[in-house]
Amino acid sequence: MALSGRHLRVGADIWVPWVDLRRREDGSLGASGVAAAFFDIIAAKLNFSYTLVMPEDREWGRGLPNGSFTGMIGMCQRKEVDMALGPFGVTWERAQVVDFSSTLYVDGFGIFLPRPRQERDLIGFTNPLAWQVWAALGAVLLFTLALGVVLNLLARRCFRPTDGSAGAGEDQANIVLRPLWVVQALLIGSNAHLLYTCTLVCESPVKTAIEKLPSRPSSRVLLAAWLLAGLILSSAYRGVLTSLLAVPRVTVPVDSLEDLVSYGKIPWANEKGTSLHQLFGDATSGLYKTIHDEGTLVVNAYEARERIKKESMAVLCDFFTMRKIMSDDFTQTGACNYYIAAEPIKSAPLAFAFPKRSPLVRHFDTWMAALVESGMVSRSVLALTSNATACLVAPGKEEGAEGSLAFTLFDLAGGFLLLAGGQLLAAAVLVGERLRGFLRKN
């Protein structure tokens, strides 16, 4: 046999679902998981036994300024072990100090975070129009009212009779614009489809308001513009609001590293001693440096899975681990509680690590190539993540998700608060009017 019963010291640490370690009764470490299972197959084929050794710093391997490495890569660099199980993301920095086996699996790395939910928005009734539209509408309204004041002054001066015989009707005719007319124009324009029916059925306030609209041509042109604007804006507003109510859309705030930093509401963590930790730690400026400086560290994403769900924390890790956590959680809860950001950070081949120029590499490569080419690795990965497919859809599109949202009093509190504010303002104006009248009498 190839290694003739040789005993190897093998570096290993926990990376579920690749490797999980447990203490046996005799104090030695035992391993399970996808990589551990294939390692056992190779051990049987090459006829060797092994002892697992966990690194004291619990790291996979980061390069230090003095050229040494931490974790299991450092153990191989110093030849404290015959190999390290990993599997390790193959990087240029690591390849300078260790040799890697042939590729076991190619995986990507990204952002793993709690699943976005349908949010309750107190001012959701303003969402159909962007804030710029609301601001522009308010600015145009104020400009129109100011213009009305100017036009009213000009009309009184230009059309005032010189003999002092002007009556109340003539003075009324000289008014170009009243603020109430603009409000009426907006209401009529926004409810044009109801106006005709309302005026035919009853002597409504709307009909009365129409009869009191101005007769001066300049006033009618100005209000006609507001009628048309009210019709267009209200039609757009009602259409978008109807679609938002009929098909609620879940907003995904984080789909990339840029989103994670700019959103500012979700803290993030990196897995200690990994290739991503090295990638961000080596950055001297820009986004990657921000990710490194403002983030925290966790041992691995699987151990932090409950923190991700309950504490709304994001972890930067590999996709296999993400899908494994999602699959296990869906099996237990029947719900999708995690989300994988759409934009990946990077991808890398995964392999075992050996000290430089180790003769073990060629023996392992023969059997690893056979295992990978047979499809056993891919089938094992799919078998452990089969239930994750139910959650690999856009938030809000999960099977069984509600197609519409029953709004509660809290959801519509913004509209009720607006109504209450208007009533309070009207009461304050009424008190002011009464106080003004009382002061005039006295």
Side-chain angles (χ1 to χ4, degrees):
M1 300 293 285
L3 298 182
S4 303
R6 181 177 170 184
H7 187 82
L8 303 180
R9 284 173 56 84
V10 179
D13 205 339
I14 298 173
W15 180 9
V16 178
W18 290 109
V19 177
D20 193 10
L21 301 180
R22 66 189 184 281
R23 286 284 178 186
R24 299 192 182 103
E25 294 182 357
D26 60 1
S28 63
L29 286 173
S32 60
V34 177
F38 290 118
F39 183 72
D40 285 337
I41 293 174
I42 295 174
K45 296 296 183 181
L46 295 179
N47 187 28
F48 67 85
S49 59
Y50 62 88
T51 298
L52 297 178
V53 181
M54 185 180 292
E56 293 183 1
D57 57 12
R58 299 297 306 277
E59 293 197 12
W60 295 85
R62 286 181 301 118
L64 301 178
N66 61 8
S68 64
F69 271 72
T70 64
M72 290 179 282
I73 295 294
M75 295 169 71
C76 288
Q77 182 187 29
R78 297 185 297 271
K79 298 185 177 181
E80 298 173 356
V81 293
D82 296 298
M83 64 168 293
L85 183 55
F88 298 89
V90 178
T91 65
W92 182 88
E93 294 83 2
R94 289 174 172 177
Q96 305 311 300
V97 297
V98 299
D99 287 335
F100 289 103
S101 66
S102 60
T103 300
L104 176 67
Y105 189 70
V106 177
D107 203 358
F109 296 80
I111 308 171
F112 195 46
L113 60 157
R115 197 167 191 84
R117 305 292 185 187
Q118 179 73 36
E119 295 183 357
R120 308 291 186 175
D121 192 355
L122 193 64
I123 57 172
F125 62 91
T126 65
N127 290 340
L129 301 179
W131 68 267
Q132 295 93 336
V133 178
W134 290 111
L137 182 60
V140 172
L141 179 60
L142 291 176
F143 173 77
T144 302
L145 296 180
L147 179 64
V149 172
V150 174
L151 293 178
N152 288 341
L153 291 175
L154 292 175
R156 288 192 183 98
R157 291 185 178 183
C158 294
F159 298 101
R160 179 179 296 172
T162 58
D163 57 0
S165 60
E170 292 174 339
D171 185 66
Q172 179 76 11
N174 290 334
I175 296 178
V176 178
L177 181 67
R178 290 182 180 273
L180 181 61
W181 292 346
V182 177
V183 175
Q184 290 173 341
L186 283 174
L187 292 176
I188 293 171
S190 62
N191 294 279
H193 62 291
L194 299 176
L195 179 62
Y196 180 74
T197 303
C198 189
T199 54
L200 288 180
V201 172
C202 60
E203 292 292 328
S204 66
V206 175
K207 183 177 180 181
T208 304
I210 293 174
E211 292 172 351
K212 293 182 179 180
L213 286 176
S215 57
R216 182 177 290 281
S218 58
S219 302
R220 292 194 173 194
V221 170
L222 186 60
L223 294 186
W226 274 102
L227 280 168
L228 182 60
L231 175 63
I232 296 173
L233 290 174
S234 64
S235 298
Y237 178 86
R238 285 199 305 267
V240 176
L241 184 62
T242 301
S243 67
L244 290 176
L245 294 176
V247 186
R249 183 172 61 89
V250 178
T251 301
V252 179
V254 176
D255 252 339
S256 65
L257 289 178
E258 290 84 353
D259 294 341
L260 185 63
V261 173
S262 61
Y263 185 55
K265 296 182 181 179
I266 299 179
W268 62 85
N270 213 333
E271 293 180 307
K272 181 182 177 183
T274 60
S275 59
L276 281 183
H277 190 186
Q278 178 92 61
L279 176 67
F280 298 127
D282 288 346
T284 57
S285 63
L287 177 63
Y288 281 9
K289 181 171 175 56
T290 301
I291 291 293
H292 178 267
D293 293 345
E294 298 183 12
T296 58
L297 295 174
V298 295
V299 176
N300 59 68
Y302 197 83
E303 292 185 6
R305 62 190 184 281
E306 291 300 320
R307 289 179 58 193
I308 297 172
K309 180 167 62 174
K310 295 179 180 179
E311 300 178 17
S312 296
M313 179 182 73
V315 173
L316 313 180
C317 61
D318 63 291
F319 291 135
F320 184 20
T321 299
M322 298 182 198
R323 293 194 295 269
K324 171 62 175 173
I325 294 173
M326 294 176 78
S327 180
D328 290 350
D329 182 71
F330 185 80
T331 301
Q332 295 171 5
T333 66
C336 297
N337 296 307
Y338 298 95
Y339 176 69
I340 300 174
E343 184 175 309
I345 299 172
K346 71 164 193 172
S347 61
L350 304 179
F352 299 147
F354 301 84
K356 273 292 185 181
R357 293 175 294 278
S358 172
L360 296 175
V361 177
R362 61 183 180 87
H363 296 295
F364 270 77
D365 283 351
T366 301
W367 288 103
M368 287 188 67
L371 291 172
V372 172
E373 291 170 4
S374 69
M376 292 180 64
V377 179
S378 299
R379 288 197 299 271
S380 298
V381 170
L382 291 175
L384 289 175
T385 59
S386 58
N387 283 343
T389 54
C391 302
L392 297 177
V393 295
K397 301 296 184 181
E398 303 89 347
E399 185 177 352
E402 295 183 358
S404 61
L405 183 65
F407 284 90
T408 64
L409 181 61
F410 178 80
D411 297 322
L412 300 177
F416 283 104
L417 287 176
L418 187 63
L419 177 61
Q423 305 235 0
L424 290 175
L425 180 61
V429 172
L430 177 61
V431 171
E433 289 176 346
R434 294 299 182 183
L435 182 60
R436 181 181 178 186
F438 175 76
L439 293 176
R440 282 185 175 180
K441 288 181 180 180
N442 295 332

